[in-house]
Amino acid sequence: MYEPKIIAYACTYCSYPGADLAGTSRIKYSPNVNIIRVLCSGRVSAELILRTFREGADGVLVLGCHFGDCHFINGNHRTAKRVPILQRILEFSGIEPERLRLEWISASEGERFAHVVDEFTDTVQQLPPMRQVLG
Amino acid sequence: MNRLEALRNAVGELLDKVEGVIALRNKSGHVAPHLFREREELNGLGLSPKYPLPATLRLIQNEYPEAKLGIVCRGCEERGLIEMAKRNQVELGNVTVIGLACTADEAEECRCAKPYPSVLVDAHVGERTEPVPDRVAEELRQKEVAERLSFWRSQFDKCIKCYACRNACPQCFCPECTLEEELWVERGRVPPPFPSFHLIRAMHTAGKCVGCRECELSCPAHIPMTALYALIRQEMGEMFGYEPGVDLEDQPPLVLPMEVEI
């Protein structure tokens, strides 16, 4: 079993504090995840996700605020539409769509953050390493 | 009366009412877009191969926004016009559309889902033919993920990064193109690394691509990229109930917020 490399794009207003809470609450979660803070989940463009895969990430998590909580009012609405489309594009071009996941995590959901990361790591671990896929 | 004769008559009639009609003109064995302004020019009127005339309309309207113009549109070109109008690339108020139905052979070649225009048209030329299912896309849908990967890897490896697909696309009108940005598609790497160029293009044409197949026809490496776009179009239809190029009033889903209860 290999250790997958997972990149999580976490929005600075909800999901990043959520991850922070997981840390300060001493909740254990998978060390495979590397968190990158972004201003809004709406900032995570398709090209950014594709480049992340190309650089060798085995899975990409996009974490944003719940609907109604977005600091930019509807930045996460864009993400909510963009990610499913990109998942289909990945699927039709031969990359497992399970490698990309979108989750809403608020600043108070430290436990949920840990749970999402653990579960996602398990999912990605079942898939072949991206290095192998991209050859 | 054949299709060319009928089109010539329709364009001739329209020339009395507008300042010019955008159509194809035969020139030294090829066709090229031309703004017909006099009836005498109509001897040179051409039909095929098809060419994205909405893109020409956009260029002319950029310079002459008030001009009263006519345009000859096939089914795909009409769908393209609708999507361009939604994004303020063309102004349809001053435009009269002559619809040109494709022959069964042309529809077959394009695997066209709607080989005739019907929404914006003021005059019809040619007989409507039946839609043709996209077999390449359907085959792709049946495949396993790993099979799709090897299929697309072998196709995308042929890419010489000439940008013909983007340049031919009537929906690719951005003044600055992501596909030219060093950060996402590195310069000097041919074929472009996977997954970048083609998947970025697929994402950026999602909700805009009307399946006119200009990209594929202009591709010197014969990459069947419209099969990918067709599948995404189907998926977006299911996800958001949106079909590009059908209705002028429908707003593209990617520019709208979600409809959710908060």
Side-chain angles (χ1 to χ4, degrees), chain A residues 29-72:
Chain A
Y29 59 84
S30 155
N32 302 51
V33 67
N34 291 264
I35 301 169
I36 296 177
R37 181 158 70 166
V38 289
L39 268 186
C40 176
S41 62
R43 185 256 172 271
V44 184
S45 62
E47 40 275 35
L48 178 59
I49 295 171
L50 291 171
R51 173 94 197 232
T52 313
F53 281 125
R54 194 143 63 78
E55 297 292 336
D58 298 296
V60 174
L61 265 177
V62 182
L63 308 174
C65 310
H66 292 270
F67 284 134
D69 291 351
C70 181
H71 186 79
F72 304 99

Side-chain angles (χ1 to χ4, degrees), chain B:
Chain B
M1 193 161 56
N2 66 21
R3 220 164 41 132
L4 183 58
E5 282 295 313
L7 183 64
R8 195 171 284 142
N9 288 345
V11 174
E13 272 174 38
L14 186 58
L15 273 178
D16 298 335
K17 298 175 210 152
V18 298
E19 293 170 61
V21 177
I22 303 164
L24 293 175
R25 182 173 66 160
N26 281 313
K27 206 177 179 188
S28 48
H30 301 281
V31 294
H34 182 70
L35 182 66
F36 288 88
R37 305 200 62 184
E38 308 290 338
R39 271 172 186 267
E40 293 74 58
E41 293 177 288
L42 288 174
N43 287 332
L45 188 71
L47 268 182
S48 59
K50 76 190 185 92
Y51 182 94
L53 291 174
T56 313
L57 173 67
R58 177 177 156 262
L59 291 178
I60 295 177
Q61 280 194 337
N62 280 348
E63 292 296 319
Y64 306 98
E66 302 295 326
K68 279 190 74 166
L69 295 169
I71 184 170
V72 176
C73 275
R74 291 171 185 261
C76 53
E77 289 166 334
E78 182 200 55
R79 300 198 296 275
L81 265 189
I82 291 173
E83 284 305 303
M84 288 166 81
K86 282 177 197 171
R87 294 169 176 83
N88 298 328
Q89 296 303 308
V90 289
E91 170 53 51
L92 294 179
N94 286 332
V95 176
T96 312
V97 177
I98 299 177
L100 174 66
C102 291
T103 61
D105 287 346
E106 284 169 337
E108 182 68 36
E109 198 208 335
C110 281
R111 314 192 292 270
C112 184
K114 185 170 169 285
Y116 52 85
S118 64
V119 185
L120 309 170
V121 220
D122 300 290
H124 288 273
V125 174
E127 295 288 320
R128 282 187 182 190
T129 52
E130 288 300 307
V132 179
D134 192 338
R135 283 176 305 276
V136 182
E138 282 317 306
E139 270 172 39
L140 193 62
R141 193 186 273 282
Q142 303 306 327
K143 283 187 172 136
E144 295 289 317
V145 170
E147 286 178 311
R148 289 190 199 132
L149 182 70
S150 58
F151 171 77
W152 284 118
R153 289 305 291 270
S154 66
Q155 292 295 340
F156 293 154
D157 275 353
K158 299 190 291 189
C159 179
I160 58 168
K161 218 174 143 190
C162 65
Y163 289 88
C165 47
R166 180 203 62 182
N167 296 347
C169 180
Q171 305 301 331
C172 278
F173 40 67
C174 303
E176 283 176 29
C177 180
T178 312
L179 298 179
E180 286 176 27
E181 271 180 39
E182 180 70 23
L183 191 56
W184 312 125
V185 184
E186 296 95 322
R187 277 183 206 146
R189 276 187 74 180
V190 176
F194 180 84
S196 65
F197 192 96
H198 295 277
L199 301 200
I200 293 175
R201 202 177 121 71
M203 186 70 201
H204 285 207
T205 53
K208 285 161 96 182
C209 175
V210 293
C212 70
R213 240 173 132 254
E214 292 292 350
C215 47
E216 205 170 297
L217 294 170
S218 60
C219 179
H222 305 293
I223 300 172
M225 55 198 113
T226 52
L228 181 60
Y229 305 156
L231 289 172
I232 296 158
R233 197 161 51 245
Q234 289 170 12
E235 291 293 319
M236 282 189 71
E238 280 170 31
M239 273 192 261
F240 307 114
Y242 181 74
E243 204 179 328
V246 172
D247 191 339
L248 266 172
E249 303 302 317
D250 277 358
Q251 284 298 304
L254 279 169
V255 306
L256 293 176
M258 302 280 281
E259 286 169 22
V260 283
E261 295 278 323
I262 294 165

Side-chain angles (χ1 to χ4, degrees), chain A residues 6 15 18 35 49 51-52 58 79 85 92 95 100 108 119 127 130:
Chain A
I6 288 163
S15 309
I35 301 169
I49 295 171
R51 173 94 197 232
T52 313
D58 298 296
T79 327
I85 298 174
F92 291 135
I95 298 173
L100 173 62
S108 62
E119 202 198 33
L127 304 169
M130 203 62 181

